[in-house]
Amino acid sequence: MATDAPMATATDTLTLAQWLSPAYPVGAFAYSHGLERAVHDGWVGDAASLEHWLRDVLEHGAGRSDVQFLAAAYRTGTPEGLACIDATCRAYAGSAERLTETTRLGTAFARMTAPVWNLDLPPLAYPVALGRAARLCDLPLELTARMYLHAVLGNLLSAAQRLMPLGQTAAQDLLHRLTPRTVTVADAALTAPLDRLSTTSLMAEIAAMRHETQSPRIFAT
């Protein structure tokens, strides 16, 4: 597929690695995307059920749609267009916690990234903020989308290790097996316009809603 920027340089790759690292201070470790409730309710309890859950999120849920928002933010040329994309991304959040998750992550990302890279980057939903920052820094869209999805999966696996019996080797094996699918989903989502948004990961949305009243809990979502 055609890319929207030149081939990645070493600096481009390392910049994205920094932005999407667990060490980047956006607080991603505090969010489980509803996974905590899924484990609590017994929908996810071992490596096999976790893999099915992650595949659904990746292929049919927020994984795919987030890349569509990221790409739209990257490609828009006007502040009005960016504001419309951001509003659509927020409206597409299926629950109050999902909205909280994407807005808090995006705000933290913008707050950290804008002064360090000297960018005009307002608080935006997380994938919108990342797409806009990548465009302002002329980072390759294709690589940005792939690394974003890989980071999302990595964060969910880290959450799973705190919620259920899942060792480090099993978690890394699962991430390794899902990596090729991450590339496929990211590349397909880059060519899908926002008027083709859809989701069929209904259990993930329900889990996020049910998590709102869960007590006690570890994660914010």
Side-chain angles (χ1 to χ4, degrees):
M1 60 174 289
T3 58
D4 292 69
M7 184 177 295
T9 66
T11 300
D12 293 339
T13 303
L14 292 175
T15 296
L16 286 169
Q18 181 176 351
W19 288 357
L20 295 168
S21 164
Y24 204 63
V26 298
F29 63 87
Y31 304 95
S32 82
H33 199 80
L35 181 59
E36 182 172 19
R37 185 70 196 203
V39 173
H40 177 274
D41 289 345
W43 300 345
V44 175
D46 55 22
S49 56
L50 176 63
E51 181 170 358
H52 285 301
W53 184 270
L54 295 178
R55 281 185 179 274
D56 282 348
V57 171
L58 178 68
E59 298 175 5
H60 308 296
R64 179 182 292 273
S65 61
D66 274 4
V67 173
Q68 290 178 255
F69 289 119
L70 186 158
Y74 187 99
R75 290 169 174 149
T76 190
T78 66
E80 295 79 11
L82 186 65
C84 182
I85 293 162
D86 184 59
T88 304
C89 184
R90 292 168 188 254
Y92 202 68
S95 67
E97 284 196 354
R98 280 285 296 115
L99 178 60
T100 296
E101 181 179 292
T102 194
T103 54
R104 286 183 179 175
L105 287 171
T107 298
F109 177 82
R111 184 184 299 121
M112 176 56 58
T113 307
V116 175
W117 275 266
N118 193 28
L119 305 179
D120 180 13
L121 189 65
L124 299 162
Y126 188 37
V128 179
L130 182 63
R132 180 59 177 166
R135 174 70 278 179
L136 292 174
C137 291
D138 289 324
L139 304 179
L141 173 57
E142 185 179 79
L143 181 63
T144 303
R146 291 172 174 180
M147 291 184 66
Y148 170 77
L149 275 189
H150 193 264
V152 168
L153 284 179
N155 187 67
L156 290 177
L157 280 165
S158 176
Q161 288 181 272
R162 286 172 275 171
L163 291 168
M164 55 184 284
L166 185 74
Q168 293 178 341
T169 301
Q172 292 304 311
D173 179 61
L174 182 50
L175 183 59
H176 172 66
R177 291 203 309 276
L178 288 174
T179 293
R181 192 59 188 158
T182 299
V183 174
T184 301
V185 171
D187 290 355
L190 288 178
T191 64
L194 290 187
D195 60 9
R196 294 179 59 190
L197 280 168
S198 65
T199 180
T200 54
S201 61
L202 301 181
M203 295 300 287
E205 298 291 352
I206 292 170
M209 295 175 191
R210 289 170 62 84
H211 188 267
E212 294 174 14
T213 58
Q214 182 172 330
S215 180
R217 61 187 186 178
I218 301 172
F219 295 92
T221 67

